[in-house]
Amino acid sequence: MNEDKLAPFLGTWILDAEESDFEQGDPPKSATLKIDDNFGMAVFTMNQVDADGEITNDTFEAMPDGPEVKLGKSGLVDAMRLVFQGDRKLVSEARRGGLTLMKAERELSDDGGTLTITQTVHLVDVASFTNITVYRKAQ
C-alpha cells in the first residue's frame, strides 16, 4: 500500500532555483533530488553544486510510515522518521533526543510535475529558518 502512495514521488527532480526561497544559506547553482523505492524503503539521493561550485552528495533512506530510524553517522541528529500526510505530502523529521531539529515537507502539485519542499531547521535557543525549494520532475 505504501508503495502506491510513494509512486508519485519517485523519479528525478531538478531544482527550479528562481521559484525557490532561501532564508538560510545561499541558493545552490543547481541541484537534483532522486527518490527511489527499494522494496518499500524510500531512498533519497541529493546532489547539488553550491554558489562557489562545491559539489555535495547525500543519501538517506527510511520506511514511509514505518518506525523511527536511529542514525549513527551524524552528530547533529540521532533519529529520523518519514510519514505520509495524505496522498500528496511526504514529511521527514530529523530528531535529536526526541526533539525535531529539521523537518522537510515534500508536497506534490496536483499534476505531479512539481515537488515543493518546505524545510525548516530549528536551532535550539537561537531561531528557526525555512527554505522553500521547488523541483520539477525530469522527463
Side-chain angles (χ1 to χ4, degrees):
M1 177 170 118
N2 275 351
E3 289 85 356
D4 292 341
K5 288 173 79 173
L6 184 60
F9 293 90
L10 300 178
T12 300
W13 300 86
I14 300 168
L15 178 69
D16 184 339
E18 290 187 13
E19 292 294 319
S20 300
D21 181 26
F22 288 79
E23 277 187 9
Q24 181 183 31
D26 294 321
K29 282 184 183 176
S30 65
T32 60
L33 167 63
K34 186 175 182 192
I35 305 174
D36 292 306
D37 180 358
N38 184 19
F39 300 101
M41 292 288 281
V43 181
F44 298 84
T45 304
M46 292 130 329
N47 302 299
Q48 85 173 23
V49 179
D50 73 13
D52 297 325
E54 186 173 326
I55 298 171
T56 305
N57 302 305
D58 197 15
T59 300
F60 73 92
E61 63 182 59
M63 177 74 67
D65 291 338
E68 183 174 88
V69 176
K70 299 297 180 196
L71 303 174
K73 68 178 183 177
S74 172
L76 180 60
V77 296
D78 57 18
M80 197 198 85
R81 66 184 210 135
L82 184 65
V83 296
F84 286 106
Q85 290 182 351
D87 290 334
R88 305 201 79 65
K89 195 179 278 192
L90 183 59
V91 179
S92 59
E93 293 182 357
R95 305 161 69 112
R96 181 175 184 93
L99 294 174
T100 299
L101 298 183
M102 290 175 271
K103 183 176 185 177
E105 298 182 39
R106 296 164 195 85
E107 187 166 6
L108 284 171
S109 61
D110 288 339
D111 68 3
T114 301
L115 183 65
T116 302
I117 303 174
T118 303
Q119 184 169 353
T120 304
V121 176
H122 303 285
L123 301 176
V124 179
D125 297 330
V126 179
S128 295
F129 300 96
T130 299
N131 289 345
I132 299 171
T133 50
V134 177
Y135 287 83
R136 309 287 180 204
K137 193 157 206 172
Q139 299 301 323

